[in-house]
mmCIF file of all heavy atoms in Angstrom:
data_model
loop_
_atom_site.group_PDB
_atom_site.id
_atom_site.type_symbol
_atom_site.label_atom_id
_atom_site.label_comp_id
_atom_site.label_asym_id
_atom_site.label_seq_id
_atom_site.Cartn_x
_atom_site.Cartn_y
_atom_site.Cartn_z
ATOM 1 N N GLY A 299 -13.158 10.199 -75.338
ATOM 2 C CA GLY A 299 -13.051 8.784 -75.680
ATOM 3 C C GLY A 299 -11.659 8.200 -75.540
ATOM 4 O O GLY A 299 -11.490 6.977 -75.655
ATOM 5 N N GLN A 300 -10.654 9.034 -75.284
ATOM 6 C CA GLN A 300 -9.300 8.515 -75.127
ATOM 7 C C GLN A 300 -9.193 7.695 -73.838
ATOM 8 O O GLN A 300 -9.607 8.123 -72.774
ATOM 9 C CB GLN A 300 -8.296 9.665 -75.085
ATOM 10 C CG GLN A 300 -6.864 9.244 -74.791
ATOM 11 C CD GLN A 300 -6.278 8.330 -75.851
ATOM 12 O OE1 GLN A 300 -6.282 8.646 -77.033
ATOM 13 N NE2 GLN A 300 -5.781 7.167 -75.444
ATOM 14 N N GLU A 301 -8.612 6.511 -73.953
ATOM 15 C CA GLU A 301 -8.485 5.613 -72.810
ATOM 16 C C GLU A 301 -7.060 5.673 -72.267
ATOM 17 O O GLU A 301 -6.093 5.711 -73.020
ATOM 18 C CB GLU A 301 -8.835 4.181 -73.249
ATOM 19 C CG GLU A 301 -9.020 3.211 -72.113
ATOM 20 C CD GLU A 301 -9.493 1.850 -72.593
ATOM 21 O OE1 GLU A 301 -8.905 1.329 -73.580
ATOM 22 O OE2 GLU A 301 -10.443 1.311 -72.005
ATOM 23 N N TRP A 302 -6.963 5.667 -70.926
ATOM 24 C CA TRP A 302 -5.673 5.749 -70.264
ATOM 25 C C TRP A 302 -5.562 4.671 -69.205
ATOM 26 O O TRP A 302 -6.561 4.279 -68.586
ATOM 27 C CB TRP A 302 -5.487 7.115 -69.589
ATOM 28 C CG TRP A 302 -5.505 8.270 -70.533
ATOM 29 C CD1 TRP A 302 -6.595 8.983 -70.939
ATOM 30 C CD2 TRP A 302 -4.369 8.858 -71.184
ATOM 31 N NE1 TRP A 302 -6.220 9.984 -71.812
ATOM 32 C CE2 TRP A 302 -4.851 9.926 -71.977
ATOM 33 C CE3 TRP A 302 -2.996 8.603 -71.171
ATOM 34 C CZ2 TRP A 302 -4.017 10.737 -72.741
ATOM 35 C CZ3 TRP A 302 -2.168 9.414 -71.937
ATOM 36 C CH2 TRP A 302 -2.674 10.459 -72.712
ATOM 37 N N GLU A 303 -4.330 4.236 -68.961
ATOM 38 C CA GLU A 303 -4.053 3.354 -67.838
ATOM 39 C C GLU A 303 -3.196 4.114 -66.838
ATOM 40 O O GLU A 303 -2.138 4.631 -67.182
ATOM 41 C CB GLU A 303 -3.313 2.090 -68.289
ATOM 42 C CG GLU A 303 -3.002 1.146 -67.137
ATOM 43 C CD GLU A 303 -2.166 -0.048 -67.548
ATOM 44 O OE1 GLU A 303 -1.985 -0.267 -68.765
ATOM 45 O OE2 GLU A 303 -1.667 -0.751 -66.644
ATOM 46 N N GLN A 304 -3.700 4.202 -65.583
ATOM 47 C CA GLN A 304 -2.961 4.870 -64.526
ATOM 48 C C GLN A 304 -2.469 3.838 -63.523
ATOM 49 O O GLN A 304 -3.220 3.356 -62.683
ATOM 50 C CB GLN A 304 -3.842 5.897 -63.810
ATOM 51 C CG GLN A 304 -3.155 6.590 -62.636
ATOM 52 C CD GLN A 304 -1.891 7.313 -63.033
ATOM 53 O OE1 GLN A 304 -1.949 8.308 -63.751
ATOM 54 N NE2 GLN A 304 -0.731 6.834 -62.583
ATOM 55 N N PRO A 305 -1.183 3.451 -63.577
ATOM 56 C CA PRO A 305 -0.647 2.525 -62.578
ATOM 57 C C PRO A 305 -0.551 3.206 -61.207
ATOM 58 O O PRO A 305 -0.327 4.413 -61.118
ATOM 59 C CB PRO A 305 0.744 2.181 -63.123
ATOM 60 C CG PRO A 305 0.730 2.612 -64.557
ATOM 61 C CD PRO A 305 -0.198 3.773 -64.623
ATOM 62 N N ALA A 306 -0.718 2.424 -60.156
ATOM 63 C CA ALA A 306 -0.615 2.964 -58.797
ATOM 64 C C ALA A 306 -0.350 1.829 -57.825
ATOM 65 O O ALA A 306 -0.737 0.676 -58.066
ATOM 66 C CB ALA A 306 -1.892 3.704 -58.409
ATOM 67 N N ASP A 307 0.298 2.166 -56.725
ATOM 68 C CA ASP A 307 0.573 1.181 -55.679
ATOM 69 C C ASP A 307 -0.661 0.917 -54.820
ATOM 70 O O ASP A 307 -0.797 -0.162 -54.244
ATOM 71 C CB ASP A 307 1.711 1.657 -54.780
ATOM 72 C CG ASP A 307 3.025 1.781 -55.535
ATOM 73 O OD1 ASP A 307 3.248 1.007 -56.494
ATOM 74 O OD2 ASP A 307 3.821 2.671 -55.185
ATOM 75 N N LEU A 308 -1.536 1.924 -54.718
ATOM 76 C CA LEU A 308 -2.708 1.826 -53.843
ATOM 77 C C LEU A 308 -3.908 2.408 -54.567
ATOM 78 O O LEU A 308 -3.820 3.495 -55.151
ATOM 79 C CB LEU A 308 -2.442 2.601 -52.548
ATOM 80 C CG LEU A 308 -3.479 2.536 -51.435
ATOM 81 C CD1 LEU A 308 -3.637 1.115 -50.903
ATOM 82 C CD2 LEU A 308 -3.086 3.481 -50.295
ATOM 83 N N VAL A 309 -5.045 1.690 -54.527
ATOM 84 C CA VAL A 309 -6.275 2.148 -55.167
ATOM 85 C C VAL A 309 -7.325 2.381 -54.083
ATOM 86 O O VAL A 309 -7.668 1.462 -53.329
ATOM 87 C CB VAL A 309 -6.796 1.131 -56.191
ATOM 88 C CG1 VAL A 309 -8.130 1.594 -56.778
ATOM 89 C CG2 VAL A 309 -5.774 0.921 -57.305
ATOM 90 N N LEU A 310 -7.832 3.615 -53.998
ATOM 91 C CA LEU A 310 -8.863 3.975 -53.037
ATOM 92 C C LEU A 310 -10.153 4.269 -53.795
ATOM 93 O O LEU A 310 -10.210 5.194 -54.608
ATOM 94 C CB LEU A 310 -8.435 5.194 -52.225
ATOM 95 C CG LEU A 310 -7.082 5.069 -51.503
ATOM 96 C CD1 LEU A 310 -6.772 6.352 -50.734
ATOM 97 C CD2 LEU A 310 -7.075 3.872 -50.565
ATOM 98 N N VAL A 311 -11.176 3.465 -53.520
ATOM 99 C CA VAL A 311 -12.460 3.577 -54.227
ATOM 100 C C VAL A 311 -13.354 4.499 -53.403
ATOM 101 O O VAL A 311 -13.805 4.136 -52.315
ATOM 102 C CB VAL A 311 -13.101 2.195 -54.412
ATOM 103 C CG1 VAL A 311 -14.371 2.310 -55.249
ATOM 104 C CG2 VAL A 311 -12.111 1.235 -55.069
ATOM 105 N N CYS A 312 -13.615 5.692 -53.932
ATOM 106 C CA CYS A 312 -14.298 6.740 -53.171
ATOM 107 C C CYS A 312 -15.475 7.336 -53.939
ATOM 108 O O CYS A 312 -15.832 8.499 -53.750
ATOM 109 C CB CYS A 312 -13.314 7.854 -52.815
ATOM 110 S SG CYS A 312 -11.930 7.329 -51.775
ATOM 111 N N ALA A 313 -16.088 6.553 -54.802
ATOM 112 C CA ALA A 313 -17.243 7.018 -55.549
ATOM 113 C C ALA A 313 -18.497 6.935 -54.677
ATOM 114 O O ALA A 313 -18.438 6.554 -53.498
ATOM 115 C CB ALA A 313 -17.412 6.176 -56.811
#
Side-chain angles (χ1 to χ4, degrees):
Q300 174 63 54
E301 192 175 47
W302 298 89
E303 180 185 349
Q304 177 58 68
D307 296 329
L308 185 63
V309 176
L310 305 180
V311 185
C312 299

